[in-house]
Amino acid sequence: MCFRSTSSDYCRKTIKKLFMRLVPGWVMLILVTTPLVQAQEGYIFVTKWGSFGSGDGQLAFPYGIAVGPQGTIYVADTFNSRIQKFSVDGAFFSTWGSPEEGDNQLGLPVGISVDVAGNIYVADSSLSLIKKFSSEGTFITTWGEAGATDGQFSALQGLAVDSAGNVYAADFANNRIQKFTSEGDFLTTWGSFGNGEGQFNGPYGVAVDSNGNVFVTDQANHRIQKFTSEGTFITQWGSNGFGNGQFFFPYGLTTDPAGNVYVADAFNFRIQKFSPEGVFITAFGTFGTGPAQFSLPTDVAVDGNGNAYVTDTNGPGIHKYAPETPPVFTTTTVMITTTTSTPDDIVPPECPIAGLLMEGAESLDRIRLYRDTVLLNSSRGRLYVQYLYRYGRELNRILERNPFLQERAIRVLHAVEPLIDAVLEGDAVEPSRDLLLELEALCDLVIEQAPEDMQRVLEDFKKDIRDDGFVQSLH
């Protein structure tokens, strides 16, 4: 069976299936994700700013912190009833808010989040409302009041905004998460008092990753819970204690572009970092007032370079940390789209966009595959790789537990690499029967250890191979 990029409709369809499903959908997923599960060695203290007071750049028990799209740092200066805006190095830019009545009134602003357009959302605990401002502090809208029904709050704390602009609020004393549109229309709620799955004993912080998964610090249960965007429970981790992966009243949390979760473990005086599934990666911070020490870290935010910003409430001050190893936010399933200079039928007309857009490889003339990254471009048009985070992390976990399976996956990858290069050069290629059977067998081995939703994806993938005659035609 022969594939050629400029021949019959059948061959062109076959190339599309082979290139888009066989290689990016599975083999490149193994390639990209396998090495990137390794923990970073640690974080380096960079700087801190702020002192107690009410002047510009001074702070009075700050709680929430967020990073804007341009890297600007926004701080909920809680006991000064205002928001302050800084550069990434702590230079003061502006401030807004006061305890006086009016659109800019703030009582005790605690949670803060920024949407993709740069709008600022503030959770005011004492006024039991959410306020929305422009990036410069211009009032836009507000919603909420004290109470326990939909759209009401009691001891409102953390906020998060997803890529669609939906707002998630940690309704602390009502032991629930509420979800709203960007204009404050109520959408849904979940949670009740308790320690079971989906129950809370003081939900304080809330964060959303690029896939829409919602993470909540369940404070008095000393754990993190993970949900879908509609509140369906996914997983949890943590217990009361001082060891890695344990918490002593966790406060705020955030995620980075790769889906890693950072938690302000307040009374352990540290920040802990986890994989999206709750696997401990690293921690930094100890008790004290010196560099790399905290007196009460209550929230954390991460910028696009992996730098972490922490509010030290009792300091008071803002701390900045940099990863010892610069992160590469590239993991999980690969999908490819292209410019019109590449034949349209080689790529699907639509490509899901739910992750990091890789750019900056214009000098390359074809895809080259490596175990820790994908460098890309094509002589027939710019290629963009978009990483979808859901199943790659789970695959990492499965492969880590089984070195034999990991070695087998790498072997398949090496066999497929020349085939990809040949297709991109416009050459005819003939995949071997053994290669495609090995790929199907690899799917079967992973299916045995995968969660149910991932099993369905892999079964569909195997069906695509059989339906297109990849295996049967080679017998």
Side-chain angles (χ1 to χ4, degrees):
M1 180 170 162
C2 175
F3 301 99
R4 193 179 298 273
S5 61
T6 56
S7 57
S8 68
D9 288 343
Y10 172 76
C11 283
R12 293 159 75 93
K13 176 184 176 184
T14 306
I15 287 175
K16 172 182 172 180
K17 288 292 185 181
L18 177 69
F19 187 63
M20 291 305 303
R21 287 191 176 273
L22 183 64
V23 178
W26 173 251
V27 179
M28 285 176 66
L29 180 143
I30 297 169
L31 161 78
V32 175
T33 59
T34 297
L36 293 181
V37 297
Q38 297 173 355
Q40 294 176 340
E41 293 181 358
Y43 282 75
I44 303 169
F45 175 79
V46 177
T47 188
K48 68 177 180 179
W49 66 88
S51 60
F52 186 81
S54 57
D56 292 345
Q58 293 185 308
L59 303 162
F61 304 104
Y63 276 81
I65 191 167
V67 179
Q70 304 303 317
T72 309
I73 310 301
Y74 297 89
V75 178
D77 188 7
T78 306
F79 278 72
N80 279 327
S81 301
R82 64 183 180 180
I83 304 301
Q84 293 203 64
K85 180 178 177 181
F86 300 92
S87 75
V88 294
D89 296 315
F92 173 80
F93 283 160
S94 64
T95 184
W96 70 87
S98 75
E100 299 176 3
E101 291 187 5
D103 288 342
N104 277 0
Q105 181 186 18
L106 293 172
L108 291 176
V110 177
I112 187 167
S113 189
V114 185
D115 66 20
V116 293
N119 298 308
I120 316 300
Y121 299 79
V122 179
D124 193 315
S125 186
S126 65
L127 298 179
S128 297
L129 52 79
I130 296 171
K131 286 198 170 185
K132 179 180 178 180
F133 301 90
S134 73
S135 60
E136 300 304 317
T138 302
F139 173 81
I140 297 175
T141 190
T142 186
W143 68 90
E145 60 182 3
T149 61
D150 293 346
Q152 295 182 323
F153 306 108
S154 180
L156 175 63
Q157 301 294 332
L159 283 184
V161 184
D162 65 21
S163 59
N166 298 309
V167 180
Y168 301 80
D171 191 5
F172 184 86
N174 285 325
N175 289 296
R176 63 183 179 179
I177 301 298
Q178 294 198 66
K179 179 179 178 181
F180 303 89
T181 69
S182 60
E183 301 306 313
D185 296 324
F186 175 82
L187 294 176
T188 190
T189 185
W190 69 88
S192 60
F193 176 74
N195 58 14
E197 294 179 353
Q199 294 184 311
F200 302 110
N201 188 358
Y204 187 94
V206 60
V208 185
D209 68 16
S210 58
N211 290 326
N213 298 308
V214 181
F215 300 84
V216 181
T217 50
D218 188 4
Q219 194 173 78
N221 283 326
H222 309 283
R223 65 181 178 180
I224 308 301
Q225 294 198 65
K226 179 180 179 180
F227 303 89
T228 69
S229 60
E230 298 305 314
T232 301
F233 175 84
I234 298 175
T235 190
Q236 62 178 316
W237 68 89
S239 60
N240 188 12
F242 313 103
N244 292 338
Q246 294 185 306
F247 304 104
F248 191 28
F249 294 98
Y251 273 63
L253 77 170
T254 192
T255 61
D256 66 21
N260 299 308
V261 182
Y262 303 70
V263 181
D265 188 10
F267 290 95
N268 281 326
F269 310 105
R270 63 184 177 181
I271 303 299
Q272 293 199 67
K273 179 180 178 181
F274 302 89
S275 76
E277 290 76 35
V279 177
F280 174 81
I281 296 176
T282 191
F284 55 93
T286 59
F287 176 73
T289 58
Q293 293 183 317
F294 301 117
S295 56
L296 189 69
T298 53
D299 203 8
V300 57
V302 177
D303 67 20
N305 295 316
N307 299 307
Y309 303 84
V310 182
T311 49
D312 189 7
T313 297
N314 286 352
I318 308 301
H319 293 225
K320 178 180 180 179
Y321 295 81
E324 290 181 350
T325 303
V328 180
F329 293 130
T330 56
T331 55
T332 72
T333 307
V334 177
M335 300 293 290
I336 297 179
T337 187
T338 182
T339 63
T340 55
S341 58
T342 299
D344 292 338
D345 56 0
I346 293 182
V347 295
E350 296 180 2
C351 182
I353 300 175
L356 179 67
L357 182 64
M358 291 292 292
E359 296 182 334
E362 292 86 352
S363 62
L364 300 178
D365 60 2
R366 62 178 180 171
I367 289 181
R368 295 298 303 164
L369 304 180
Y370 299 91
R371 288 195 59 188
D372 59 347
T373 189
V374 176
L375 303 177
L376 56 144
N377 205 28
S378 169
S379 58
R380 291 183 297 278
R382 175 70 177 273
L383 297 176
Y384 297 94
V385 171
Q386 294 156 344
Y387 294 84
L388 312 181
Y389 302 121
R390 185 170 185 183
Y391 295 109
R393 295 281 178 171
E394 182 62 30
L395 180 61
N396 279 338
R397 193 170 60 82
I398 293 170
L399 293 178
E400 280 187 313
R401 293 198 306 260
N402 192 329
F404 168 78
L405 186 59
Q406 183 177 114
E407 181 180 351
R408 193 167 177 174
I410 296 298
R411 191 164 61 244
V412 172
L413 167 68
H414 289 324
V416 170
E417 179 178 355
L419 184 144
I420 302 172
D421 287 339
V423 169
L424 289 176
E425 292 297 324
D427 297 334
V429 297
E430 186 173 356
S432 71
R433 171 182 179 274
D434 289 341
L435 172 60
L436 295 172
L437 288 175
E438 174 69 5
L439 180 60
E440 189 172 9
L442 192 60
C443 286
D444 288 330
L445 290 172
V446 176
I447 285 172
E448 294 175 2
Q449 304 178 53
E452 184 176 349
D453 55 348
M454 188 175 175
Q455 291 177 11
R456 289 194 295 268
V457 171
L458 294 174
E459 291 288 358
D460 288 342
F461 173 65
K462 287 172 53 184
K463 184 176 182 295
D464 285 341
I465 296 174
R466 290 191 293 269
D467 288 350
D468 283 330
F470 288 145
V471 176
Q472 291 90 329
S473 64
L474 295 173
H475 281 280

